[in-house]
Amino acid sequence: MKLTWFGHSAFRLDFAKSVVVIDPFLTGNPSFKGERTAAIADATHILLTHGHSDHVGDTLAIAAETGAKVVTNFDLCMALAHKGLKAFDPMNTGGTTDQGDFTVSLTNALHSSADFHDGVSDALGNPNGLVIKVKGGPNIYAMGDTDMMADMALIAEWHKPSIGLVPIGDRFTMGGDAAAFACRKFFQFETAIPCHYGTFPIIDQTADKFVGAMGGGKTRVAVPKPGESVAL
């Protein structure tokens, strides 16, 4: 399995016959310097944690160009369908859907989820984390935008993720110290990959706090540059 980080919380997973894009904020993402066509090539699925524009990103365009199926909470699916999305699989917190090579479960996340029109916030369902269970492969927990929470103990016990995609940028999510505390307290990750940092000036610019606070543990902390891939 290969995981590629495009900056912010945008990832691509390549395995078996699936190409899974997570929170594809590419256009307008200051961290993304790559070629958009290559980044989304052969996408089969788009997984969304919540409705903020820096996570929904290029979803509608990618779905139209590739035929990729969007998997996310019901409210966000319906909002995107209203804008023309054709292939989608709605679900909600606590549910699991089978996508062929893998399953997706939605977990709680402590955040918000909305779009804005004329200065008014329109709710787009609840924010979520994603547990991606690859058949014959690892269980991946993409936390979404969140603070630490007691639910993480249940997520760890029930889903047993071995890979964590962890927001560390502070202000809108956990900061690096808090994220490391959550990882060490609740999980036994083989690999943790930080995200949601370095994109905008008002969030942390590096992963240094997280890397430092994770030092000495058994978890491998992989810190790819935007556009780089990690073998899992």
Side-chain angles (χ1 to χ4, degrees):
M1 172 184 289
K2 181 174 72 172
L3 180 145
T4 306
W5 184 50
F6 298 126
H8 209 56
S9 295
F11 290 92
R12 171 183 169 126
L13 287 167
D14 289 77
F15 58 91
K17 297 180 180 179
S18 296
V19 176
V20 178
V21 182
I22 302 171
D23 287 352
F25 175 43
L26 303 178
T27 302
N29 179 351
S31 297
F32 178 63
K33 307 298 183 184
E35 171 55 49
R36 180 181 173 281
T37 302
I40 67 171
D42 302 318
T44 59
H45 297 79
I46 302 168
L47 310 185
L48 300 178
T49 60
H50 64 288
H52 287 157
S53 61
D54 60 331
H55 292 259
V56 175
D58 295 71
T59 292
L60 286 171
I62 295 169
E65 293 167 25
T66 65
K69 183 199 302 181
V70 173
V71 183
T72 189
N73 79 69
F74 177 84
D75 304 62
L76 182 52
C77 268
M78 296 304 103
L80 293 172
H82 183 69
K83 294 180 178 181
L85 180 66
K86 302 299 183 185
F88 53 91
D89 199 358
M91 53 189 306
N92 223 317
T93 309
T96 297
T97 60
D98 193 325
Q99 303 299 326
D101 292 331
F102 63 101
T103 63
V104 180
S105 302
L106 293 186
T107 70
N108 278 330
L110 291 181
H111 194 59
S112 56
S113 177
D115 198 0
F116 297 87
H117 299 283
D118 298 323
V120 177
S121 174
D122 295 328
L124 292 171
N126 293 320
N128 290 114
L130 305 163
V131 177
I132 303 159
K133 296 183 178 179
V134 178
K135 296 176 182 177
N139 296 345
I140 302 163
Y141 176 31
M143 295 181 179
D145 285 6
T146 191
D147 186 14
M148 71 176 82
M149 56 181 176
D151 285 13
M152 288 177 171
L154 294 175
I155 293 167
E157 183 176 0
W158 180 248
H159 291 293
K160 296 179 173 59
S162 60
I163 296 165
L165 310 183
V166 186
I168 66 160
D170 216 338
R171 186 177 288 265
F172 302 111
T173 71
M174 299 179 285
D177 291 342
F181 177 88
C183 287
R184 296 173 72 115
K185 180 173 181 61
F186 296 117
F187 298 98
Q188 296 181 353
F189 290 136
E190 294 176 7
T191 302
I193 300 169
C195 62
H196 207 281
Y197 71 94
T199 322
F200 305 112
I202 57 175
I203 60 177
D204 286 352
Q205 295 302 294
T206 73
D208 293 351
K209 289 181 184 178
F210 180 71
V211 173
M214 288 291 289
K218 295 181 179 180
T219 299
R220 172 179 71 133
V221 179
V223 187
K225 296 178 181 177
E228 290 185 345
S229 299
V230 176
L232 300 175

